[in-house]
Amino acid sequence: MGVLSIFNRHPRFAIACGIGLLVVILLQTTGPVDRLNELERLYKYPPSLHSSGDDGAIKLRLQDSEEHYQEVLKQRANLIKQYGPWKEDILPWPKNREFYTLWDFFTPAFNCPHEVKRIGLLGDGGKWVCGLSKIARKKDCVIYSFGINDESSFEAALLEKTEHCQVYGYDFSVRDFGPEIRDFAKLRRRSHFKPWGLQGKDDPDGNPPMYSLQSLMKLNGHTFIDLLKIDIEGYEFPALRAIMEAYKGKPLPFGQLQLEIHADRQPGVTDDKKRFSEFLKWWEELEDAGLRPFWTEPNLVFVNINLGTPPALAEYSFINIRGDHDLLH
């Protein structure tokens, strides 16, 4: 019996079948499939280096990254159960041949929605940066760097690759930027150095003088920092906790963070059984404040110099997904 004959004999049945078939086809070509097609379009070509970009595309990239990041957080919880089962049972660097280290729980699973470049010298000193093109020509670009140690290849490269950025450096262990800036007049003109340190409370008369981030920003007349670098030998834990407390309920005042983490130097933590749980608590505070890690690089130079020590140092780069700044557009 042909299709036309069925239609003539049972028109209502034939029409119902046709509508049902159409619905099936529509269901198969929308929903998750459309989402995958859209993501494929978004990631098929890298972002243009010097264009203003497509706000809609950037928003979808950020949304996709956040959805993936939330999935990874569930995997972290499962990994803790696997090796714990409680977080207090986890050792950061187990000696019983378990297949993990501290860093496996803190994967940089978020994608920067722009180009990512390593800036500065190879080896110790360089950092991974998200969307440098977004601030390359920005007239009020501001960079803060805590921890200089007479090596300024990162800061010098940022000055060279941008037109207007001003770099503010702080380190009480040295008297100036490293020779990468100090020896070049054109870079010195956009650099500012003070032998001060970073902490939660101001102590300008201390030895050395110490300031909170918000106080330094006020002294410099700044309300926002495009790029914040912190490498302060373990004191990143209380310093960042103080910053998050000061901006609780508000977006953090910076677009991205380049951070060297010294996981074996958490102030006040000497018991390995507490080291992981305290680190996890601090890290989750970073996440709650809107920071998402998009890159990491272990500091294996430290391990090589100090043979027998665990890989306790790692460089992490974070994007701030809160507020309204250039990296979100």
Side-chain angles (χ1 to χ4, degrees):
M1 186 181 294
V3 174
L4 184 59
S5 176
I6 293 175
F7 183 81
N8 290 332
R9 291 167 61 91
H10 307 284
R12 292 182 180 177
F13 175 75
I15 291 172
C17 289
I19 292 173
L21 180 61
L22 180 61
V23 169
V24 170
I25 293 172
L26 288 173
L27 287 174
Q28 290 179 342
T29 56
T30 58
V33 175
D34 274 358
R35 171 75 167 160
L36 291 175
N37 289 339
E38 180 66 12
L39 291 175
E40 182 181 9
R41 182 185 69 79
L42 288 174
Y43 292 110
K44 185 174 183 180
Y45 301 104
S48 174
L49 293 185
H50 297 292
S51 69
S52 59
D54 179 345
D55 257 18
I58 297 301
K59 183 178 179 180
L60 284 174
R61 286 189 185 127
L62 290 166
Q63 179 184 333
D64 177 57
S65 286
E66 181 62 12
E67 289 174 0
H68 176 66
Y69 195 79
Q70 293 303 317
E71 292 175 4
V72 172
L73 294 187
K74 295 176 184 176
Q75 294 177 27
R76 178 198 296 165
N78 291 335
L79 197 63
I80 291 174
K81 288 181 182 178
Q82 177 181 345
Y83 288 112
W86 311 109
K87 60 185 178 182
E88 292 79 9
D89 300 323
I90 303 290
L91 294 175
W93 299 282
K95 299 178 175 62
N96 56 354
R97 300 180 67 85
E98 295 281 13
F99 283 80
Y100 76 86
T101 71
L102 171 73
W103 308 118
D104 292 302
F105 294 86
F106 305 100
T107 302
F110 198 91
N111 286 329
C112 161
H114 308 284
E115 83 282 0
V116 176
K117 292 183 178 180
R118 194 181 191 281
I119 306 298
L121 288 178
L122 293 178
D124 192 28
K127 315 285 180 185
W128 291 91
V129 174
C130 170
L132 183 60
S133 63
K134 301 297 291 184
I135 61 172
R137 295 187 173 91
K138 185 179 179 182
K139 293 189 181 300
D140 58 348
C141 169
V142 173
I143 296 168
Y144 277 36
S145 179
F146 294 94
I148 304 300
N149 195 28
D150 204 39
E151 200 289 308
S152 301
S153 67
F154 175 65
E155 294 81 2
L158 289 173
L159 289 170
E160 290 170 349
K161 294 177 182 296
T162 61
E163 293 183 5
H164 307 289
C165 287
Q166 301 280 330
V167 173
Y168 294 76
Y170 299 92
D171 190 330
F172 57 76
S173 70
V174 294
R175 305 307 301 176
D176 201 351
F177 284 107
E180 299 85 356
I181 291 178
R182 190 173 63 234
D183 295 347
F184 297 91
K186 68 175 184 177
L187 300 183
R188 287 203 311 271
R189 284 192 289 270
R190 289 192 284 132
S191 66
H192 316 267
F193 180 87
K194 294 290 185 182
W196 301 343
L198 176 68
Q199 66 176 21
K201 295 181 179 180
D202 295 342
D203 186 10
D205 299 321
N207 185 21
M210 305 292 287
Y211 289 88
S212 67
L213 180 66
Q214 56 269 31
S215 292
L216 289 173
M217 292 176 68
K218 186 176 181 180
L219 283 171
N220 296 325
H222 299 144
T223 59
F224 188 78
I225 300 168
D226 292 282
L227 187 152
L228 172 63
K229 186 208 93 173
I230 298 178
D231 181 359
I232 53 177
E233 308 304 316
Y235 290 96
E236 63 270 13
F237 294 98
L240 279 166
R241 185 162 273 153
I243 293 170
M244 291 183 288
E245 183 63 28
Y247 289 89
K248 194 170 185 177
K250 299 180 290 186
L252 293 172
F254 51 86
Q256 62 182 298
L257 169 67
Q258 279 64 40
L259 175 69
E260 181 164 60
I261 300 176
H262 307 77
D264 59 343
R265 304 179 202 175
Q266 299 177 64
V269 180
T270 56
D271 185 350
D272 260 4
K273 289 188 176 180
K274 292 184 178 180
R275 200 175 299 279
F276 177 84
S277 59
E278 287 298 315
F279 187 96
L280 175 65
K281 180 181 178 183
W282 174 79
W283 184 278
E284 288 177 339
E285 290 172 7
L286 300 182
E287 293 172 330
D288 290 343
L291 294 180
R292 297 290 182 268
F294 65 85
W295 209 279
T296 188
E297 181 178 300
N299 187 336
L300 299 181
V301 173
F302 174 79
V303 176
N304 190 53
I305 293 173
N306 301 277
L307 295 177
T309 60
L313 275 61
E315 301 277 358
Y316 273 84
S317 294
F318 299 81
I319 180 175
N320 179 9
I321 63 170
R322 305 269 170 80
D324 183 21
H325 55 88
D326 292 281
L327 295 183
L328 305 184
H329 296 281

